[in-house]
Amino acid sequence: MVRDYSAFLPGSAPVRRDPTALERLGWGPAFASQIDANALTATPPVRVVAVHRSGLQLAGDGIEEAIPPGPEATVGDWLLLDPARPRSSRVLQRKSLIKRRAPGTGREVQLIAANIDTVFVVTSCNQDFNVARLERYGALAFEAGIDPVIVLTKADLTDDTAPYVEEARKVSDRVPVVALDARGEEPMKALADWCKPGQTVAFLGSSGFGKSDPHQRASRRAGRRHSGHP
């Protein structure tokens, strides 16, 4: 079956329509501008949705498959899949990249996630609140070329969230701060502006800070994949 990828190319006439399968996965002009129609047909674009020791899990327009290790890619990367030689699939230039030094080496770089639009830096409104930690995660996001948003969870466990919000705002005047009760529908409403179709988000925070609930609710609302990092 030959698929028509013309709608995914730069310069396509804008029309009011539902997002395509690739657009729901985060495809946009930054990636379309790197390829031409011939490349799209021969090597269809796919996104890395999981990385395992055995290889990469991919998703695309009618494509759900795994390929062996080969391309130096991480979760969120876009590849031009070479069906005949998957190890030679081309990784498209990234618009953002979260990385860190690999544990125990001090030299090697570990790729965490690519092509993220928004990072939710998550902490809780209790004794675990730590401005220095928020600053570190915020710096990680800015270094990666991503806009961070501070999310204060467990707002239902404190009588007054204002002191936590005030302290969190000291991190940067460029970083929005949202305090929420992660139960019910509140996360879906509070984070809706950053979780629109085609947007990719990541949640950063230590264990026990309440990342799971807003992540799951945001994922259900958007109906697409999100990247996360413990």
Side-chain angles (χ1 to χ4, degrees):
M1 176 181 178
V2 178
R3 296 185 179 276
D4 179 9
Y5 287 99
S6 59
F8 307 133
L9 290 170
S12 299
V15 294
R16 182 169 295 181
R17 53 175 173 75
D18 292 333
T20 64
L22 289 185
E23 288 169 340
R24 287 195 296 271
L25 286 168
W27 183 261
F31 310 110
S33 63
Q34 301 180 46
I35 53 182
D36 57 32
N38 292 331
L40 277 174
T41 302
T43 53
V46 291
R47 196 163 196 193
V48 180
V49 296
V51 177
H52 308 289
R53 290 184 179 180
S54 58
L56 307 176
Q57 187 68 39
L58 309 176
D61 183 15
I63 299 173
E64 292 278 349
E65 66 175 87
I67 64 172
E72 187 179 359
T74 187
V75 172
D77 267 325
W78 282 96
L79 310 182
L80 295 184
L81 177 62
D82 186 335
R85 299 181 300 166
R87 293 177 184 269
S88 300
S89 297
R90 172 188 164 198
V91 180
L92 294 182
Q93 183 177 344
R94 304 168 176 121
K95 63 180 182 180
S96 64
L97 176 64
I98 300 176
K99 59 184 178 180
R100 66 181 180 186
R101 289 183 179 178
T105 66
R107 294 184 179 181
E108 294 183 9
V109 174
Q110 180 181 10
L111 306 183
I112 304 299
N115 302 314
I116 306 299
D117 298 297
T118 302
V119 164
F120 293 123
V121 179
V122 183
T123 192
S124 51
C125 296
N126 56 23
Q127 67 276 7
D128 293 320
F129 180 88
N130 186 297
V131 173
R133 186 184 296 115
L134 295 178
E135 290 174 340
R136 288 197 299 272
Y137 281 130
L140 179 65
F142 281 130
E143 182 181 358
I146 307 170
D147 294 327
V149 175
I150 294 175
V151 178
L152 306 179
T153 63
K154 303 184 180 180
D156 55 302
L157 300 182
T158 181
D159 294 331
D160 185 9
T161 61
Y164 296 100
V165 172
E166 183 178 353
E167 285 298 306
R169 284 177 174 161
K170 294 179 181 179
V171 171
S172 172
D173 56 8
R174 297 168 52 193
V175 180
V177 178
V178 179
L180 54 81
D181 176 355
R183 303 171 302 175
E185 301 301 311
E186 185 176 346
M188 296 169 60
K189 297 177 181 178
L191 306 181
D193 287 346
W194 299 282
C195 296
K196 296 176 181 178
Q199 296 294 300
T200 304
V201 305
F203 288 77
L204 297 179
S206 301
S207 299
F209 283 175
K211 300 188 300 298
S212 298
D213 283 344
H215 174 274
Q216 292 168 0
R217 286 173 171 79
S219 297
R220 286 200 297 270
R221 181 186 189 280
R224 65 188 181 285
R225 303 175 191 273
H226 294 252
S227 295
H229 170 49

